[in-house]
Amino acid sequence: MKNPIVVLGIGELGSVFSRAFLKNNYPVYPITRETNIDELADTIDPELILVCTAEVDLQSALKSIPEKWKNRVAMMQNELLPHDWEVHNFTNPTVISVWFEKKKGMDFKVLISSPVFGAKARILVASLALIDIPAHSVDSEEALLFELVLKNLYILTTNIAGLAIQAGATVDDLRNHHLDLMRNVSSDILKLQSAITNKVFAKEALERGIINAFEGDLAHQCMGRSAPERLDRALKLAKALKLSVPTLENIANQVF
């Protein structure tokens, strides 16, 4: 029998990954708020630990990873960047930029293939394929960073721009009727991403990537329920970094 996989956080996406691992003949051990993770670490030797918590719970979850498991950690959160995990001294962590969604009462919906990088990338790609979710490995940390920034741009731009346009607007509405707004929000977000990572990214390539993701689900609604929190986090980050983000500030003045 294969070594088990630990899933830290059994929410909507955690349940999808768990199904994929089980289909691939991996026993799955869930970690909930009631689980004593240190006791579990003394009883099993997992193949990997997939952290499936919400973004706001990520740091506390990563801090809870036992020392003996630090060489087999995988992460899948939105708004994820290397600085989020580098402080925890993991060895060759695995990161997947998730391009499928799962909401309560419905099965998953795929937009595009999800890129993965790290020591356990092969397991994630193979397991997800068994439940018809496309994923693929990328070949470098630089390629992973581009993919993470692309996903961050997509979700932050659509969510925050969605706050400024009519309720129920889709990504197709955004690109066809609010292109200037989309680009202005994206510009502010990219400024933040570049400051956090100390990297410069090709704006044109990122915009092509966003439009490609739009094509995966043109009816995808811009404004998710977390949109106000995402805008608030972005503004606080801009303030901490002393960056000017005029479009985000204008939208905040309309919303808050």
Side-chain angles (χ1 to χ4, degrees):
M1 181 175 287
K2 295 179 178 179
N3 287 340
I5 289 177
V6 170
V7 177
L8 202 169
I10 303 293
E12 297 297 329
L13 285 178
S15 68
V16 174
F17 279 102
S18 297
R19 192 195 326 170
F21 296 142
L22 290 168
K23 191 92 171 183
N24 203 9
N25 293 317
Y26 285 98
V28 173
Y29 281 74
I31 290 183
T32 68
R33 297 184 190 279
E34 286 71 43
T35 306
N36 186 318
I37 192 170
D38 293 316
E39 286 184 3
L40 186 63
D42 289 334
T43 60
I44 64 170
D45 182 29
E47 184 68 34
L48 68 90
I49 300 88
L50 180 64
V51 182
C52 285
T53 59
E55 296 95 307
V56 294
D57 298 320
L58 177 62
Q59 287 305 313
S60 61
L62 296 182
K63 287 177 184 176
S64 75
I65 302 293
E67 192 69 32
K68 64 177 71 174
W69 287 358
K70 286 193 171 184
N71 63 342
R72 55 196 104 168
V73 173
M75 290 160 279
M76 46 120 292
Q77 282 68 24
N78 288 319
E79 300 183 51
L80 188 64
L81 287 171
H83 75 98
D84 292 307
W85 69 78
E86 287 173 344
V87 296
H88 298 285
N89 298 315
F90 298 134
T91 304
N92 195 9
T94 302
V95 178
I96 177 169
S97 179
V98 172
W99 283 99
F100 59 91
E101 63 175 359
K102 170 69 171 72
K103 295 181 180 178
K104 191 173 183 179
M106 59 173 279
D107 206 355
F108 61 79
K109 179 188 291 185
V110 175
L111 278 70
I112 57 175
S113 178
S114 297
V116 195
F117 179 77
K120 304 297 181 178
R122 180 186 57 79
I123 294 174
L124 292 180
V125 172
S127 299
L128 289 171
L130 293 173
I131 59 170
D132 299 320
I133 293 179
H136 63 279
S137 296
V138 296
D139 59 7
S140 67
E141 292 181 357
E142 292 76 17
L144 171 66
L145 181 58
F146 177 88
E147 296 291 350
L148 292 176
V149 169
L150 172 61
K151 180 61 186 299
N152 292 348
L153 269 182
Y154 172 90
I155 196 163
L156 288 166
T157 297
T158 56
N159 270 215
I160 294 172
L163 290 167
I165 55 182
Q166 70 272 19
T170 66
V171 296
D172 199 33
D173 296 325
L174 181 61
R175 70 170 185 171
N176 286 319
H177 304 299
H178 305 279
L179 186 59
D180 287 343
L181 173 66
M182 184 189 92
R183 286 176 169 163
N184 289 338
V185 172
S186 178
S187 179
D188 280 357
I189 297 300
L190 184 55
K191 190 184 299 184
L192 289 171
Q193 299 286 299
S194 295
I196 299 167
T197 59
N198 198 29
K199 301 282 186 182
V200 176
F201 301 95
K203 184 180 293 188
E204 296 79 9
L206 288 168
E207 183 169 311
R208 288 195 300 271
I210 289 176
I211 296 301
N212 180 55
F214 283 3
E215 295 286 346
D217 182 11
L218 291 173
H220 192 85
Q221 292 199 1
C222 291
M223 190 178 67
R225 65 176 185 228
S226 300
E229 290 82 4
R230 294 190 195 282
L231 174 57
D232 185 57
R233 283 199 296 271
L235 288 172
K236 287 177 178 175
L237 183 58
K239 184 176 181 180
L241 294 171
K242 296 180 170 59
L243 292 176
S244 173
V245 285
T247 303
L248 301 191
E249 289 166 359
N250 287 338
I251 292 174
N253 288 335
Q254 300 173 37
V255 174
F256 300 135

